[in-house]
Amino acid sequence: MTGVRVAVPAKINLSLRVGPLRPDGFHDLATIFQAVSLIDEVTVAHGEPDSGRLVTVRGQRIDGVPLDDRNLAARAAIAVAQLAGLDDPDVRIEIDKSIPVAGGMAGGSADAAATLLACRRLWEVDVDDAVLHRLAAELGSDVPFCLLGGTARGTGRGEHLVPVLDGGQWHWVVAFDEGELSTPEVFAECDRLRAIGAAEPTLGSDDELIAALRSGSPQELAPLLVNDLQPAALALRPSLAATLELGTELGALAGIVSGSGPTCVFLGADRDHAIGLAAELAGTGRVRGVRHAVGPVRGAHLVA
Ligand code: ATP
């Protein structure tokens, strides 16, 4: 499809600290996001949607992706149309998906961020990035970071962002799981485990991790990766413990569940090490798929 095309990266959380449940049902988070080179591409064009579907999606394991206005990309397009005062926007959205669906890598949020940018261009809407950021935060907590990219500290629900100085080029091995995990269910499991005393919030700050990022040393970064949602993801999907163990046995400097899971990410010492690790992990046949990814990469950006 010819139109406006935007590339957008997946995110991983190098640190994800989850506060107590708030009265509004959300949790305060303190997180360090990094955008990595697993990329979705979103194209928007003028025209009536085919067979009433606003969204077309291509990729593997995309059955769980809605094609109507429940799709976050469609909701992003509607938000830009409203801003531009377009009552009946003609738009088709095509998504080429590489980011795993419900994998803890913010795939839906990434597509929403890409669509915001693409529709601003398509309809030549005269608003600056700050306005787009506000729309992004209304669509979902991870959407602003998908616009920004790089490495950043996120607070609030994750939408208040400050870029972090990152001196490294980090090589990750991403292990896809057979299934999906629902983010709300993982947060609920985290609350349940805490209520029965089976999990505790991580104490401390991310200062050391931020210093390690500045240093560029994977050996310094490895022991500082932390994810408060990991015990909950492991409780809901016990096989992830074996995946994490396998990666570290094969020589990863560290392994962690990505966000709410079930994708796991492993840190390599350098490019060759990560590529070798990815090949070995794939060779075991014990994970659905394996990819080498680098970070940080830029956030959503126009490619055509
Ligand atoms: P996060 O890491 O932000 O918690 P996730 O990566 O675990 O999210 P997503 O891939 O964003 O999960 O999908 C979560 C659910 O959102 C899917 O099961 C699907 O029903 C819905 N969804 C809506 N729009 C999209 C989209 N564009 N891509 C994928 N899923 C979408």
Side-chain angles (χ1 to χ4, degrees):
M1 183 168 86
T2 6
V4 181
R5 193 147 48 95
V6 171
V8 65
K11 62 83 187 164
I12 58 179
N13 303 83
L14 307 182
S15 160
L16 178 53
R17 299 172 192 273
V18 178
L21 183 64
R22 302 189 318 206
D24 65 0
F26 289 102
H27 296 78
D28 278 318
L29 305 180
T31 187
I32 306 290
F33 289 112
Q34 186 170 92
V36 298
S37 61
L38 261 185
I39 305 290
D40 276 4
E41 277 196 1
V42 177
T43 308
V44 302
H46 295 292
E48 287 303 311
D50 295 334
S51 53
R53 288 181 185 154
L54 213 52
V55 185
T56 314
V57 185
R58 282 197 296 259
Q60 295 183 335
R61 309 245 180 168
I62 51 170
D63 292 352
V65 181
L67 303 177
D68 54 19
D69 60 10
R70 286 170 302 154
N71 193 298
L72 268 183
R75 290 176 45 205
I78 292 164
V80 179
Q82 279 171 352
L83 190 75
L86 301 170
D87 291 338
D88 191 15
D90 64 326
V91 63
R92 288 185 294 153
I93 305 170
E94 214 170 76
I95 304 174
D96 264 310
K97 257 203 161 317
S98 295
I99 306 175
V101 176
M105 302 191 83
S109 304
D111 299 342
T115 307
L116 288 176
L117 212 59
C119 286
R120 176 171 71 174
R121 169 61 69 90
L122 182 74
W123 294 318
E124 293 172 359
V125 187
D126 186 18
V127 291
D128 62 13
D129 289 349
V131 174
L132 227 50
H133 186 100
R134 182 177 54 71
L135 283 190
E138 285 166 9
L139 288 164
S141 320
D142 290 342
V143 184
F145 177 71
C146 296
L147 276 177
L148 181 69
T151 304
R153 181 160 205 276
T155 51
R157 287 192 283 122
E159 77 280 32
H160 300 304
L161 296 171
V162 179
V164 166
L165 187 62
D166 190 339
Q169 194 187 32
W170 312 94
H171 290 274
W172 302 99
V173 175
V174 182
F176 301 142
D177 192 70
E178 278 302 331
E180 302 181 348
L181 275 176
S182 142
T183 304
E185 282 172 27
V186 176
F187 273 98
E189 179 65 12
C190 175
D191 293 333
R192 193 188 70 80
L193 291 176
R194 286 179 178 180
I196 61 171
E200 295 287 338
T202 318
L203 298 174
S205 78
D206 286 323
D207 293 352
E208 265 188 284
L209 190 143
I210 287 170
L213 283 169
R214 202 176 309 132
S215 79
S217 156
Q219 286 74 14
E220 273 187 45
L221 181 67
L224 302 172
L225 301 178
V226 59
N227 181 0
D228 275 359
L229 290 180
Q230 184 160 307
L234 295 186
L236 295 172
R237 186 68 49 80
S239 61
L240 294 181
T243 304
L244 290 173
E245 209 175 293
L246 186 60
T248 33
E249 270 170 21
L250 292 174
L253 299 182
I256 194 167
V257 169
S258 173
S260 54
T263 307
C264 292
V265 292
F266 299 98
L267 181 60
D270 55 30
R271 173 179 291 276
D272 287 348
H273 179 240
I275 290 173
L277 176 62
E280 282 195 57
L281 196 57
T284 65
R286 285 167 58 186
V287 288
R288 170 168 76 79
V290 181
R291 284 280 304 271
H292 164 236
V294 294
V297 296
R298 63 201 285 215
H301 56 277
L302 292 162
V303 289

